[in-house]
Amino acid sequence: MSTTASQSTQVIRPARTLRGSVRLPGDKSISHRYAMLAGLAEGTTQISNFSTGADPHSSLACMAALGATVVKKDDGTIEVTGTAGSFRQPTVDLDCGNSGSTMRMLAGLIAPHPHTFTLIGDASLTRRPMERIRKPLAQMGATIDLTDGHAPMIVHGHPLKAISFDTPIPSAQVKTAVLFAGLQAEGTTSIKESVRTRDHSEHALRAFGAAIERTPETISIAGGQRLRAINATVPGDISSAAFFLCAALLFPDSQLVIDDLGMNPTRAALLDVLSGLGLKVKVLNIEEQHGEMIGTIQVNGPHNGAGGADISGALSAQLIDELPVIAAIAPYTRNGIRIRDAKELRIKESDRIALVAQNLRAMGAQVTEHEDGLDIPGNQTLHGGDIESGDDHRIAMAFSIAALRATGESAIHGAEAAQISFPEFYTLLDRFSER
């Protein structure tokens, strides 16, 4: 594996197998939520194994701009001294970088505060839809200005009133924006989900001292609750692990051990799907911290190769971040992979459906693109190719995995996008790959 002089192209050589053990950087989703709630809470929160990706650090920077004190210690621990429930008027725009999680969830957190906030982001984030959070927050009494449904976003803070909200699309970010606003609103806010989304926000709110009620379909939070600082360790990121787990599927004699991995049931659908494809997964230990399940797993590749899968409905929503890498390895499965009900992929950091199809074809694969998914036949042989990341971290990493089984070298253009979520990715991939 080498980097060209442009510093943006990563050359991936085929591997013979994958072996090693690792403790991954902290989960992005949990890091965002701990950062934001620590910024609102009273006292000083200590966060160990905070994500090394750029996105959650955008959330930390926004907290600092809102009056929290953020200290990054030499041992990697993050200390956040919160504002005790009272954000100040920021003197700068709140720069969310590339992070849709930061912009959408932060809007709910700041909407009840009596200031004017301008949220900005990079070119990619400015293309992503924000109307989905403006609508429920407006129902609560917030005034939010958008440009054609997109950032920059101007939040004019007001006292908010509780609402009952039926989520029109499965989105943990929208749910979280409403929960964060509801925490500070008058009355009890309830949210009904037709498809259950990841529940990191509920666990994080409880960890910081908020009371939340949950029925099979509804989540309720009473307004006026105050948060208290915590000491927390962020579990390893299962979305980052997905790349190595999919790589392990490609080689019959692969073996990886992943320590302290987040195994939240609303995220562990990935392990179910990969087990169905043939990956042998052994849970070596598991424990609970602040409501989150953390475990060590050992995985081995299937002796007769990966099978096939049909991913649709609620499963597509649960796996939305992992679908690009599952699709990237689909040609190497025996029976292929069919993906549907994943139209949300078209409005991520890139149009991930189009880019997956384009890059698979660049490696010689057959693929059929649909508005909401892909059909990728199995038993294909891929050659190395020129891969365009579209400045999308998940595309860059997904096709680095596909390249491990191709014939010949592949060039991943725009590979630096991996910094957004997983700066250590290429170093670890090189360490695990045996050639």
Side-chain angles (χ1 to χ4, degrees):
M1 192 180 303
S2 62
T3 308
T4 66
S6 71
Q7 291 302 306
S8 65
T9 297
Q10 195 85 24
V11 176
I12 309 289
R13 293 184 291 116
R16 191 169 42 80
T17 192
L18 217 73
R19 291 185 173 273
S21 64
V22 68
R23 180 181 187 234
L24 292 171
D27 185 280
K28 264 180 61 185
S29 296
I30 297 172
S31 295
H32 278 298
R33 288 156 173 83
Y34 283 177
M36 292 186 193
L37 295 180
L40 186 67
E42 181 178 341
T44 299
T45 292
Q46 306 251 3
I47 310 172
S48 302
N49 201 38
F50 193 85
S51 169
T52 54
D55 281 359
H57 287 267
S58 294
S59 291
L60 283 174
C62 288
M63 289 301 102
L66 291 164
T69 302
V70 178
V71 178
K72 299 174 184 179
K73 309 280 285 236
D74 290 343
D75 63 359
T77 303
I78 305 287
E79 284 187 352
V80 181
T81 303
T83 61
S86 183
F87 290 139
R88 72 182 179 198
Q89 172 69 54
T91 57
V92 295
D93 293 344
L94 299 175
D95 188 350
C96 304
N98 185 252
S99 177
S101 295
T102 302
M103 184 169 283
R104 292 187 181 124
M105 296 191 297
L106 186 60
L109 196 69
I110 61 180
H113 295 258
H115 308 299
T116 299
F117 308 92
T118 300
L119 283 68
I120 61 170
D122 67 10
S124 165
L125 182 54
T126 303
R127 292 192 297 269
R128 297 178 69 183
M130 294 296 153
E131 183 66 21
R132 57 183 58 182
I133 57 111
R134 191 198 67 79
K135 281 185 176 177
L137 295 178
Q139 288 174 35
M140 300 178 82
T143 303
I144 297 177
D145 301 331
L146 297 170
T147 303
D148 297 327
H150 299 85
M153 178 191 301
I154 302 173
V155 179
H156 305 275
H158 299 294
L160 302 184
K161 291 191 181 298
I163 59 169
S164 295
F165 179 61
D166 284 11
T167 56
I169 51 170
S171 170
Q173 294 173 2
V174 174
K175 173 179 71 174
T176 301
V178 176
L179 282 173
F180 284 2
L183 172 73
Q184 305 167 81
E186 179 186 330
T188 297
T189 294
S190 62
I191 301 169
K192 186 175 181 181
E193 288 189 295
S194 56
V195 174
R196 188 169 182 182
T197 59
R198 56 185 66 177
D199 59 5
H200 301 304
S201 297
E202 294 95 307
H203 290 311
L205 282 160
R206 287 191 190 104
F208 279 88
I212 292 182
E213 292 187 10
R214 168 133 218 155
T215 67
E217 288 189 338
T218 307
I219 313 153
S220 300
I221 188 165
Q225 303 188 62
R226 297 184 72 79
L227 304 182
R228 298 181 303 277
I230 63 171
N231 290 341
T233 298
V234 181
D237 194 319
I238 196 166
S239 291
S240 296
F243 299 102
F244 298 122
L245 297 175
C246 285
L249 260 175
L250 301 179
F251 304 101
D253 59 344
S254 61
Q255 178 172 307
L256 290 177
V257 175
I258 304 179
D259 293 307
D260 300 329
L261 182 66
M263 296 183 67
N264 181 306
T266 62
R267 301 279 293 282
L270 172 70
L271 294 177
D272 295 336
V273 168
L274 297 185
S275 295
L277 282 165
L279 188 68
K280 297 169 191 164
V281 180
K282 184 186 290 186
V283 179
L284 303 182
N285 72 279
I286 195 158
E287 60 185 37
E288 181 184 321
Q289 293 182 24
H290 292 309
E292 297 286 354
M293 304 307 292
I294 302 179
T296 294
I297 64 170
Q298 176 184 309
V299 299
N300 297 86
H303 292 309
N304 57 349
D310 190 326
I311 300 171
S312 59
L315 189 57
S316 293
Q318 290 174 319
L319 291 177
I320 201 73
D321 286 339
E322 291 79 39
L323 288 176
V325 67
I326 293 172
I329 65 162
Y332 302 119
T333 63
R334 290 195 308 278
N335 303 318
I337 290 178
R338 175 183 181 271
I339 297 170
R340 290 293 187 281
D341 304 314
K343 193 173 179 181
E344 188 76 4
L345 286 175
R346 293 205 180 268
I347 52 171
K348 291 288 190 177
E349 284 84 335
S350 67
D351 181 339
R352 286 178 174 163
I353 291 175
L355 267 179
V356 166
Q358 172 188 324
N359 287 322
L360 283 174
R361 291 181 184 122
M363 298 178 77
Q366 289 186 332
V367 54
T368 304
E369 181 179 342
H370 299 271
E371 183 60 23
D372 66 340
L374 297 155
D375 288 335
I376 306 165
N379 284 319
Q380 301 193 59
T381 300
L382 272 55
H383 56 70
D386 282 303
I387 302 300
E388 296 299 337
S389 76
D391 297 323
D392 187 323
H393 54 123
R394 297 203 191 278
I395 297 294
M397 292 186 283
F399 281 89
S400 298
I401 300 305
L404 296 177
R405 267 283 301 271
T407 58
E409 295 182 343
S410 295
I412 314 292
H413 302 296
E416 74 279 2
Q419 298 283 333
I420 289 295
S421 63
F422 196 178
E424 304 84 354
F425 172 75
Y426 286 107
T427 300
L428 290 174
L429 187 63
D430 205 20
R431 187 205 301 172
F432 295 154
S433 300
E434 294 186 359
R435 294 186 166 87

